[in-house]
Amino acid sequence: MYTQIFDPVAHSIGASAAFAALPLLTLFFLLGVLRFQARWAALAALVVSMAVAIFAYGMPAGQTGSGAIEGAAIGFFPIIWIGINAIWLFKLTQESGHADVLRRSLARVSADQRVQAVLIAFCFGALLEALAGGGAPVAICAVLLISIGVEPLKAATVCLIADTSPVAFGALGLPITVLAKITGLPVHEISVMVGRQTPLLSLFIPLILVFIVDGRRGLKEVWPLALVAGAVFAFAQFAGSILLPVELVDIVAALFCAGLSILFLRVWAPGVLRTDLATAASAVASSGGRQRLDAGRDGATVSLGATLTLPMPGTDARVHHSADGRGSAPAKATPGSDSNAEILRALAPYAAVVLVVASTQIGFIAHALGAITSTFPWPGLHVVDPKGAAVSAVNAKFEWLLSAGSIVLIAGLLSVPILKLGPAVAARTYLKNLHELRWAVFTVCCVVGVAYVMNLSGQIVTLGIWAANAGPAFAPVSPILGWFATALTGSDTSANALFGMLQLTTAHHTGLSDILLTAANTSGGVVGKAISPQNLAVGAVAVGMIGREGVLFRRVFGWTVLMIAVLSVLVYLQSTPILSWMVPQ
């Protein structure tokens, strides 16, 4: 038996925390500075975490290895399991050609790539996060963006940033319900508090997405749509956290955001439609950005570099032509249309996910699916906390059919005949998908193994206690803990499982609000999702950048630092009389 100790190095929390931080420092240094591939950075972090557990914390080697294996198992099921099945579901639509139908349907709303980035990555991605979570929004939306011509690196970056603010209420509100179970706090009060934190991020994320896709020019030309999408989602998330069950908050917010954004595009369009930014950027690079000429009959503005920007007769809109001669019609023009039946088939797989999820809320169906569940003590693990109570991580639970990944798998199986695909095609697509994701699976298993070793040995608690020594000044640190935990585990739910009780205990010792700090943990966690090796690996696979996760990490890291800084300031103000009125009493 191993009894956890939280100050093993010279009986000092500070010195022990220095050792406990080594796995995290190893992971981020190798990934972000030395540019290691995510799989090798994750493997190195796992080795370091095991070494710290054995040599610094005195955890038996056998139990350390068993904990790492349990983490790897949990990493596969249920964490990466949902990503595997969500990507397979999308690949089925590619096999049937209905992914192109969906893309054309979105293009009918607007051919502008910046507009579609908001609709696909932010609106549609939020719906996917609400329903399934995991790596599904990043994988599916990134492929959709590439299909409309967005550069792969930009597509992955946009989707990683977009998959942040919806995460707290994602996967049917799982992060918040788990946090409530662990802390014993009311689900509704946590939901309300989170609804007064994450909407601030939602308000600005569409603007960030437009900036990533097209820089300052994009902000100047598309800011009205970005502002509308962000404001609608933020308000719906805020109101939903008060009025709706936690399971429905993101679903309703995403649908409202998509619907009102599309309605807004009926009365507004960008002054210039940018339909081929990748080609335009390439042309600018090859020409050095020169060869610009103001000429033309009737005062038409002609740019002979990367683009031609021409006023359209009888309208304020202009057509943006790429250097190779391709262009787009004004916003009101539409590409070739698909039949309503084909559009419905393209949407059917996602509707199937909604229906399967809804059916699991029916008592007898949930009971039947829940009956196929395995719960057992993990072999070779005998870990207790300093009070002698068994650590919860020593018990494993696998909900084989009720897990989000299995729900998506069932939806995929139901979608096969709807998409008019044969079983052989579906099976071949699944096996090909598994092969393409093999290194992403390896990365996720390693990183979750790190989390389990750190949790079982006591390293996580050591870091938390060290941070909690800040006393009342802990408030702005609170979301940073969630940020780190989600970056490590790849899951806001897991971050809440790791630090939920720590946030509660710290609140009681410092006199801060327990609702505020626990909610800040999950709100900070949504930002960490963008830099988690799991999400980076899934994003890299989706856009064909396997092994270049470090590039993605550097693209998104700065944005996450900015967002967590904003959240930290907000939580601090909410802990003071300035904004304390926002905390539910």
Side-chain angles (χ1 to χ4, degrees):
M1 179 180 293
Y2 169 68
T3 301
Q4 289 181 326
I5 180 171
F6 305 137
D7 57 349
V9 181
H11 298 292
S12 166
I13 287 293
S16 300
F19 278 86
L22 288 176
L24 297 176
L25 295 175
T26 299
L27 180 64
F28 293 131
F29 181 74
L30 293 181
L31 192 62
V33 179
L34 297 186
R35 306 184 183 186
F36 273 43
Q37 295 181 359
R39 54 183 180 265
W40 305 128
L43 181 60
L46 178 59
V47 171
V48 171
S49 70
M50 295 176 70
V52 172
I54 295 170
F55 298 111
Y57 281 74
M59 188 176 187
Q63 296 208 49
T64 302
S66 182
I69 293 172
E70 182 189 12
I74 298 297
F76 182 81
F77 189 99
I79 294 178
I80 194 63
W81 178 241
I82 187 172
I84 292 171
N85 291 307
I87 295 172
W88 172 66
L89 181 71
F90 179 72
K91 286 184 178 292
L92 289 178
T93 66
Q94 287 183 312
E95 285 288 336
S96 67
H98 288 90
D100 291 332
V101 174
L102 181 61
R103 175 179 56 79
R104 288 192 293 269
S105 298
L106 291 169
R108 191 173 299 122
V109 177
S110 174
D112 192 289
Q113 288 186 355
R114 298 148 320 166
V115 171
Q116 294 202 34
V118 172
L119 295 178
I120 293 172
F122 188 68
C123 301
F124 186 51
L127 181 61
L128 291 174
E129 178 63 37
L131 295 172
V138 173
I140 293 174
C141 294
V143 174
L144 279 173
L145 288 177
I146 289 175
S147 72
I148 64 170
V150 178
E151 296 176 51
L153 181 58
K154 285 186 177 181
T157 304
V158 162
C159 292
L160 286 167
I161 295 298
D163 190 30
T164 51
S165 62
V167 168
F169 294 97
L172 303 177
L174 186 61
I176 291 176
T177 55
V178 167
L179 182 60
K181 288 180 181 178
I182 289 174
T183 61
L185 297 174
V187 170
H188 182 67
E189 289 190 14
I190 297 176
S191 174
V192 170
M193 190 68 250
V194 173
R196 296 173 183 179
Q197 294 172 343
T198 58
L200 181 63
L201 298 180
S202 305
L203 188 62
F204 295 103
I205 283 178
L207 292 168
I208 295 175
L209 304 185
V210 171
F211 181 81
I212 292 172
V213 173
D214 196 29
R216 294 181 180 178
R217 180 183 67 182
L219 284 179
K220 182 179 179 181
E221 296 176 354
V222 190
W223 69 264
L225 173 67
L227 194 60
V228 167
V232 170
F233 188 87
F235 177 78
Q237 198 176 52
F238 163 73
S241 69
I242 301 172
L243 303 173
L244 297 173
V246 68
E247 294 85 357
L248 297 179
V249 173
D250 263 0
I251 295 176
V252 172
L255 292 175
F256 263 92
C257 180
L260 291 181
S261 295
I262 290 172
L263 287 176
F264 179 71
L265 286 168
R266 290 182 178 272
V267 298
W268 175 89
V272 180
L273 295 183
R274 310 280 178 183
T275 62
D276 199 355
L277 295 173
T279 300
S282 177
V284 168
S286 63
S287 67
R290 296 183 297 271
Q291 296 182 343
R292 306 191 65 85
L293 172 67
D294 290 334
R297 192 169 52 187
D298 300 325
T301 300
V302 182
S303 168
L304 299 179
T307 62
L308 297 175
T309 306
L310 307 174
M312 295 296 294
T315 177
D316 291 332
R318 289 171 288 171
V319 180
H320 169 85
H321 291 267
S322 63
D324 61 357
R326 288 180 291 177
S328 68
K332 297 297 181 183
T334 58
S337 60
D338 298 285
S339 68
N340 290 335
E342 290 304 307
I343 294 174
L344 289 175
R345 281 198 180 92
L347 295 173
Y350 309 106
V353 174
V354 176
L355 291 175
V356 176
V357 167
S359 68
T360 61
Q361 307 304 306
I362 301 173
F364 74 94
I365 295 179
H367 179 74
L369 295 177
I372 307 178
T373 298
S374 300
T375 305
F376 55 91
W378 190 263
L381 274 183
H382 305 283
V383 181
V384 297
D385 63 22
K387 296 181 180 179
V391 177
S392 61
V394 300
N395 295 311
K397 182 178 182 180
F398 296 95
E399 295 179 308
W400 301 112
L401 295 181
L402 268 183
S403 73
S406 297
I407 288 173
V408 176
L409 175 61
I410 294 170
L413 294 173
L414 294 175
S415 302
V416 169
I418 297 175
L419 296 174
K420 297 182 178 181
L421 295 173
V425 173
R428 184 177 67 250
T429 303
Y430 199 94
L431 292 175
K432 182 181 179 181
N433 183 48
L434 276 178
H435 182 263
E436 291 176 350
L437 289 174
R438 64 193 185 282
W439 287 117
V441 171
F442 178 82
T443 301
V444 171
C445 290
C446 285
V447 172
V448 182
V450 172
Y452 265 70
V453 170
M454 292 183 68
N455 186 30
L456 288 165
S457 64
Q459 296 173 57
I460 290 288
V461 177
T462 297
L463 290 172
I465 294 174
W466 174 75
N469 285 336
F474 178 76
V477 178
S478 180
I480 296 176
L481 284 183
W483 179 50
F484 271 118
T486 303
L488 175 63
T489 65
S491 164
D492 198 20
T493 303
S494 298
N496 289 338
L498 284 175
F499 282 152
M501 278 304 298
L502 176 69
Q503 300 275 13
L504 182 72
T505 303
T506 303
H508 292 166
H509 281 90
T510 58
L512 296 168
S513 167
D514 50 10
I515 293 292
L516 173 63
L517 295 194
T518 53
N521 192 79
T522 196
S523 296
V526 308
V527 181
K529 187 74 176 286
I531 56 172
S532 70
Q534 295 93 314
N535 243 22
L536 292 172
V538 170
V541 170
V543 301
M545 293 178 58
I546 299 175
R548 298 180 62 197
E549 295 87 356
V551 177
L552 286 178
F553 177 83
R554 291 189 296 279
R555 282 295 184 100
V556 300
F557 181 74
W559 291 112
T560 69
V561 170
L562 176 62
M563 288 190 283
I564 199 63
V566 170
L567 269 179
S568 293
V569 171
L570 175 63
V571 172
Y572 171 71
L573 293 176
Q574 289 173 334
S575 72
T576 69
I578 298 175
L579 293 181
S580 59
W581 54 269
M582 298 180 71
V583 181
Q585 301 299 322

